[in-house]
C-alpha cells in the first residue's frame, strides 16, 4: 500500500483532537444526571397495574375455565394495554428494570365461586380505572390521553363484570 492511501486527512485528525479536547474539559466538571420525567413513574406504575390485572385474570381463568368466553376478550384487551404501555417505556429511565417487569409473584387468591371471582375482577377493574384517572394529572398530554383511554376501558370492564353492561 502507498502512503497516500493510508494517510488520514488533516481535517479528520484536527477534528478528532478538538473533540478530545472538548470532551476532556467536560469530564472535569461534575454533571448531575437528568431528572426523569414525571411520566416515567406514572408509566411504570401503569405497567405494574396492567401486569397485575393480567395475572389476576389468568389466575381466575385457571380456577374457573368456564368463564373463558366472558373473560378471554377482556384479558386480551389488558395484554394489548400492557404492550402499548411498554412501547412507551424507554429502558434505563428507571433505577431498576424490575419496576417495569416485576418478578413472577405468587398467583393471586381466587374465590371458589365464579360469581365471587367476577366481583373480585370488577373491584380490581374499578381500582385500576381510578388509578388511571389519577395518573392523568401532571403528565404530558399524549401520555394523559393514553392513560385516560386505558382507564375508560377498565371502567367499561368493571361495568361488564358487574353485570351493568350486558
Amino acid at each position: 500500500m502507498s502512503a497516500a492511501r493510508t494517510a488520514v486527512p488533516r481535517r479528520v485528525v484536527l477534528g478528532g483532537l478538538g473533540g478530545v479536547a472538548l470532551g476532556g474539559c467536560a469530564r472535569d466538571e461534575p454533571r448531575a444526571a437528568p431528572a426523569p420525567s414525571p411520566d416515567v413513574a406514572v408509566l411504570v406504575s401503569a405497567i405494574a397495574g396492567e401486569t397485575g390485572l393480567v395475572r389476576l385474570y389468568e389466575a381466575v381463568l385457571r380456577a374457573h375455565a368456564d368463564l373463558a368466553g366472558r373473560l378471554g376478550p377482556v384479558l386480551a384487551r389488558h395484554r394489548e394495554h400492557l404492550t402499548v404501555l411498554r412501547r412507551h417505556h424507554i429502558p434505563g429511565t428507571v433505577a431498576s428494570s424490575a419496576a417495569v417487569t416485576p418478578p413472577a409473584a405468587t398467583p393471586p387468591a381466587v374465590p371458589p365461586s365464579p360469581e365471587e371471582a367476577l366481583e373480585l375482577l370488577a373491584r380490581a377493574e374499578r381500582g385500576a380505572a381510578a388509578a388511571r384517572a389519577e395518573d392523568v394529572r401532571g403528565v404530558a398530554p399524549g401520555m394523559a390521553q393514553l392513560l385516560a383511554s386505558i382507564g375508560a376501558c377498565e371502567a367499561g370492564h368493571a361495568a361488564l363484570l358487574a353485570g351493568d353492561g350486558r
Side-chain angles (χ1 to χ4, degrees):
M1 282 192 190
S2 72
R5 289 188 134 171
T6 59
V8 179
R10 190 169 86 173
R11 286 183 299 211
V12 172
V13 172
L14 292 175
L17 290 175
V20 169
L22 290 175
C25 293
R27 279 188 227 128
D28 294 338
E29 298 174 20
R31 289 188 181 186
S37 162
D39 292 6
V40 173
V42 171
L43 180 60
V44 169
S45 174
I47 289 170
E50 284 300 316
T51 300
L53 284 171
V54 166
R55 288 180 180 158
L56 181 58
Y57 273 87
E58 290 171 344
V60 168
L61 285 170
R62 279 191 300 277
H64 302 287
D66 54 321
L67 295 175
R70 187 170 179 186
L71 299 182
V74 180
L75 175 57
R77 185 61 88 179
H78 283 297
R79 286 179 174 148
E80 290 172 13
H81 295 165
L82 196 50
T83 298
V84 171
L85 289 168
R86 284 183 174 152
R87 199 176 306 142
H88 287 276
H89 179 259
I90 300 169
T93 56
V94 294
S96 167
S97 62
V100 177
T101 307
T106 306
V110 177
S113 78
E115 294 78 19
E116 290 172 319
L118 290 173
E119 180 52 37
L120 173 66
L121 290 171
R123 279 193 312 272
E125 292 282 6
R126 284 191 295 274
R132 297 302 72 81
E134 187 63 32
D135 286 346
V136 300
R137 300 170 187 256
V139 296
M143 182 60 63
Q145 183 179 17
L146 172 62
L147 294 169
S149 296
I150 291 172
C153 193
E154 290 166 342
H157 295 159
L160 178 70
L161 292 167
D164 300 339
R166 288 186 190 183

